[in-house]
Amino acid sequence: MTRKIYVLNGPNLNLLGQREPGIYGALTLADVEAACHKEGDALGFEIDFRQSNHEGVLVDWIHEAHSEAAGVAFNPGAYGHTSIALHDAIKAVIVPVVELHISNIHAREAFRHKSMISPAAKGMICGFGLDSYLLALRALKTLTE
Ligand code: CA2
């Protein structure tokens, strides 16, 4: 049976490829989505890929994943550094959530070193560019077996 995985993206990730190529490369969110579908096919996952700039929408999608998905790969963007609401939402659901970041948040500004959601997530992957998404999907494969 194909299992559904939500790949959720937070604020400003819709701008990927348009600005700051020094940090995020030339990659667009459409490139990330295409790569996730390809990896999902190989892993037997149906990928539901979404992006929102709104914290409450991301909270709602985590709640929805509880009944609709087998797992969540989550790039929370800057909300990862600030959001107790996202921490609580992840804690509230049984579905495994793997946090990911494109950049190495520990090699950047001090305010990015802290993740509010890491303690609630199953684990966190950062610093591998587009591969951070694919590694999160592989982690979810093991977590959902
Ligand atoms: O490295 C990551 O994946 C981040 O989650 C990306 C966030 C950043 O706030 C986190 O600290 C780390 C930013 C998303 C993209 O922001 C852009 C801003 C300007 C131009 C293009 C993208």
Side-chain angles (χ1 to χ4, degrees):
M1 191 184 79
T2 305
R3 285 164 299 168
K4 184 175 281 192
I5 298 292
Y6 281 9
V7 180
L8 303 182
N9 295 277
N12 296 311
L13 284 155
N14 54 311
L15 298 178
L16 276 184
Q18 298 174 33
R19 298 189 193 98
E20 304 221 53
I23 297 172
Y24 303 112
L27 201 68
T28 67
L29 200 60
D31 296 331
V32 175
E33 179 170 9
C36 285
H37 281 294
K38 192 171 172 211
E39 186 71 14
D41 287 348
L43 295 170
F45 288 150
E46 179 191 342
I47 301 296
D48 188 332
F49 192 94
R50 306 177 187 188
Q51 187 273 333
S52 177
N53 293 321
H54 305 279
E55 186 176 11
V57 171
L58 295 164
V59 168
D60 287 343
W61 286 346
I62 297 282
H63 293 176
E64 184 186 301
H66 178 76
S67 57
E68 301 300 322
V72 179
F74 188 21
N75 184 345
Y79 287 144
H81 309 304
T82 61
S83 179
I84 297 168
L86 284 171
H87 173 110
D88 288 348
I90 294 167
K91 283 283 253 203
V93 297
I94 290 166
V95 65
V97 177
V98 175
E99 178 186 0
L100 73 97
H101 297 274
I102 297 165
S103 62
N104 180 352
I105 59 173
H106 301 290
R108 300 185 62 191
E109 304 96 320
F111 63 81
R112 294 187 205 274
H113 296 180
K114 171 89 181 164
S115 168
M116 294 297 288
I117 73 165
S118 289
K122 282 286 179 193
M124 196 266 265
I125 296 160
C126 74
F128 298 101
L130 169 61
D131 283 349
S132 292
Y133 285 83
L134 309 184
L135 291 166
L137 292 176
R138 286 179 213 162
L140 285 165
K141 174 76 177 172
T142 308
L143 286 166
T144 59
E145 269 169 0

